[in-house]
Amino acid sequence: WQVDQDKVEPIMDTNLHVFEVAMGEGAEQYKFASEGIWTTDLLNPHLVWDGIPREGLGEFNSVLPAWKQSASKGRLERLSVFSSELGNTRDVYVYLPPSYDADSCRRYPVLVVNDGNESICRSHFDSVADQVFSTGQAESAILLFVALAHQNNRMDEYSCEESSQGRNYSDFLCDTLLPHIDTKYRSRTDANSRGIIGASLGGLISYAAAFWRNDCFKRVGAQSGSFWFADSLMISRVSESEKLEFERLYLDNGTDNRDSTIEMRDALKAKGFDVEHWENLEQAHTWNAWQDRFDEALKALLPLPQ
């Protein structure tokens, strides 16, 4: 909003000011501006991507009133979560599906999505989820779009090597983030109802996390997963692993990372795992391609109950 400065009133004996704005029937988006810098309202967890394309990570508008949820559109809440396992703090964008507010007794499976900022701002995964869930193509779920504390951490935190931060990142998800989510939302807490997915290196760490912490994740997906990384270490780990229990496994690719994805698929099948593989050889290594295939991932990892 553009605020009429004559209507801004100081609060006595403080540096705070207050103004009132008449709101319409629908939800309103806003930001705060101070000395030319725009920020979301840190006291309001409800937000939406501001829709402005930028290089790098996206930015968000705050939203009021938060409870104006439609039957076809979910909503996002931002959490700031400290990781003792990694020694950093990151934003987590919690997607609540369209049905979440309508039924206060229903509990939902949870799917962690790596590269949380980019998954929303570059690929609009939340909009894909709206379409899939509101039309009954998959079981509705709470999606956790987990952002990196800093993009420079990506290679280390999303690595499958034992010497990397990948295992600590996996422990953060299982031992810090998910228990915190369980206290705030109506999430299902059993491992069979928990999944993780990502694209490229985000897909690699999804499978690494699930094999390191099979007690935590039983549904796993990778879009154009970088399974060639570290001399195909994750493929070797699958081939050498004991037989673990998974509910659902998903892989997809375009022309990118195709050979290593197929090697991963075959390694999983050789160990007796059921895995759904989807490919589109007209697509490359892009966020647009992953957005286009995200509906297939949701349907594979979150099938409707029989």
Side-chain angles (χ1 to χ4, degrees), residues 1 68 113 122 126 183 234 237 239 292:
W1 297 295
K68 294 286 187 181
V113 184
R122 291 187 177 180
D126 54 329
T183 66
M234 194 61 225
R237 185 173 295 158
S239 299
D292 182 68

Side-chain angles (χ1 to χ4, degrees), residues 126-184:
D126 54 329
S127 296
V128 176
D130 286 342
Q131 173 66 20
V132 171
F133 294 152
S134 65
T135 56
Q137 298 178 63
E139 183 180 11
S140 293
I142 296 171
L143 307 186
L144 306 181
F145 292 98
V146 181
L148 292 159
H150 194 284
Q151 287 299 107
N152 290 344
N153 299 348
R154 189 172 187 269
M155 183 69 75
D156 199 21
E157 289 193 10
Y158 287 0
S159 171
C160 61
E161 296 175 291
E162 292 286 352
S163 59
S164 72
Q165 289 289 340
R167 185 183 280 272
N168 288 336
Y169 174 67
S170 305
D171 289 341
F172 157 68
L173 296 176
C174 294
D175 299 332
T176 297
L177 177 59
L178 286 170
H180 183 58
I181 293 299
D182 293 339
T183 66
K184 290 182 65 68

Side-chain angles (χ1 to χ4, degrees), residues 183-297:
T183 66
K184 290 182 65 68
Y185 302 98
R186 298 193 311 278
S187 51
R188 300 213 299 254
T189 60
D190 59 295
N192 287 340
S193 299
R194 289 173 170 172
I196 182 170
I197 189 172
S200 193
L201 282 173
L204 175 71
I205 190 58
S206 295
Y207 269 84
F211 273 77
W212 277 325
R213 295 299 305 267
N214 188 238
D215 63 307
C216 181
F217 294 116
K218 302 289 190 183
R219 305 181 189 214
V220 195
Q223 298 192 274
S224 304
S226 300
F227 297 117
W228 49 263
F229 184 84
D231 295 325
S232 302
L233 175 59
M234 194 61 225
I235 296 173
S236 297
R237 185 173 295 158
V238 169
S239 299
E240 298 165 3
S241 72
E242 61 182 272
K243 183 65 163 63
L244 303 175
E245 295 297 327
F246 289 106
E247 282 288 303
R248 309 288 297 184
L249 296 175
Y250 173 83
L251 297 168
D252 74 30
N253 60 270
T255 56
D256 58 319
N257 290 343
R258 183 172 186 254
D259 290 345
S260 61
T261 295
I262 290 175
E263 288 179 31
M264 182 59 152
R265 178 200 66 190
D266 292 346
L268 289 165
K269 287 187 174 182
K271 295 295 292 189
F273 296 116
D274 292 326
V275 55
E276 182 165 336
H277 177 219
W278 181 270
E279 68 176 11
N280 184 334
L281 298 182
E282 296 181 355
Q283 295 178 327
H285 201 75
T286 68
W287 279 106
N288 286 339
W290 300 325
Q291 175 185 341
D292 182 68
R293 303 196 297 264
F294 192 60
D295 61 336
E296 300 298 337

